[in-house]
Amino acid sequence: MLTWTYMLSTLAIPEPATDHRRATAERNVRSIVEATEALLQEGATPSIAAVAKRAGVSRVTVYAHFDTLEALLVAVLERAVARAAVAFDEATFGADSMVDALGLAVSASWEELTRHRPIAEAAAAHLSPETIRAAHAAGYVHARRVFEAGIEGGEFRSDVPVEWLLSVYYALLHAAGEDVRAGRIDSDTALAALTTTMRAAFAPTGS
């Protein structure tokens, strides 16, 4: 007589089915975003047709994931911001003081901004300031932690909200980037000016 244990052991337990459609969609999105970024880095115009050709997909596939060029540029910008946030954390981790962390953050942020300059230019040309700021939201979280620690430790000024320090930080970075793109100053001069200006702007009142 067969036991229940034996009978159950002989039953085939199906493996969870892989969602191939989802995997394909994720792969296509990644290819589309990477293709757009590559075109921007090469100085090419990121049209939907050009992106589809570079990604090896149809234009219908591109539109299935990004209904407008602006939506695609937001995805590219958010990807660049995510990389910049990692660089920010790596640069500031273990700093001896928040003032030192600020200087390290400026250098890391400037390097990332320089690397992603074509993305920044495309964003400025095609996206609204509100959309650009929203795309930077993830990066603000990382910077806010450092700035709040500096305020709490008395190393940064506390007479203005931390949100204002965030606005000043990113506004100065992008203004410097615009000056370099316009040929008004070179990159090394911009970084030195940024570091000096940031430290002065963040210094406690009366220091």
Side-chain angles (χ1 to χ4, degrees), residues 91-125:
T92 57
F93 179 76
D96 293 333
S97 68
M98 290 302 101
V99 173
D100 288 343
L102 177 62
L104 293 168
V106 170
S107 295
S109 297
W110 182 246
E111 184 176 343
E112 289 298 308
L113 183 62
T114 300
R115 181 180 298 124
H116 299 138
R117 185 169 297 153
I119 298 174
E121 291 174 350

Side-chain angles (χ1 to χ4, degrees), residues 4-203:
W4 278 109
T5 301
Y6 175 79
M7 292 175 67
L8 288 173
S9 68
T10 61
L11 293 176
I13 300 176
E15 294 292 329
T18 301
D19 190 341
H20 294 292
R21 287 177 298 181
R22 180 175 180 178
T24 299
E26 290 175 349
R27 184 169 59 251
N28 284 341
V29 168
R30 184 168 57 253
S31 296
I32 291 165
V33 173
E34 289 176 350
T36 306
E37 182 173 340
L39 288 169
L40 290 172
Q41 296 290 1
E42 294 168 4
T45 301
S47 66
I48 296 297
V51 169
K53 181 177 180 180
R54 184 64 173 264
V57 299
S58 68
R59 282 183 290 180
V60 172
T61 299
V62 177
Y63 279 119
H65 298 291
F66 304 100
D67 56 354
T68 63
L69 176 60
E70 288 74 17
L72 179 50
L73 289 175
V74 168
V76 173
L77 181 57
E78 288 176 341
R79 187 169 184 257
V81 169
R83 288 198 295 262
V86 171
F88 187 103
D89 283 348
E90 290 176 346
T92 57
F93 179 76
D96 293 333
S97 68
M98 290 302 101
V99 173
D100 288 343
L102 177 62
L104 293 168
V106 170
S107 295
S109 297
W110 182 246
E111 184 176 343
E112 289 298 308
L113 183 62
T114 300
R115 181 180 298 124
H116 299 138
R117 185 169 297 153
I119 298 174
E121 291 174 350
H126 296 279
L127 304 177
S128 69
E130 294 77 15
T131 300
I132 293 173
R133 185 176 179 86
H136 280 83
Y140 292 164
V141 173
H142 298 255
R144 183 181 288 105
R145 287 198 292 263
V146 171
F147 298 168
E148 286 176 342
I151 292 172
E152 291 172 7
E155 296 183 70
F156 294 162
R157 64 189 309 152
S158 59
D159 60 331
V160 296
V162 67
E163 292 297 330
W164 177 245
L165 294 182
L166 283 166
S167 294
V168 168
Y169 183 84
Y170 285 103
L172 286 172
L173 274 172
H174 289 288
E178 177 59 32
D179 277 353
V180 170
R181 287 194 295 272
R184 289 186 284 269
I185 55 177
D186 60 50
S187 183
D188 290 341
T189 301
L191 176 56
L194 270 173
T195 303
T196 300
T197 305
M198 291 282 196
R199 288 186 172 177
F202 278 61

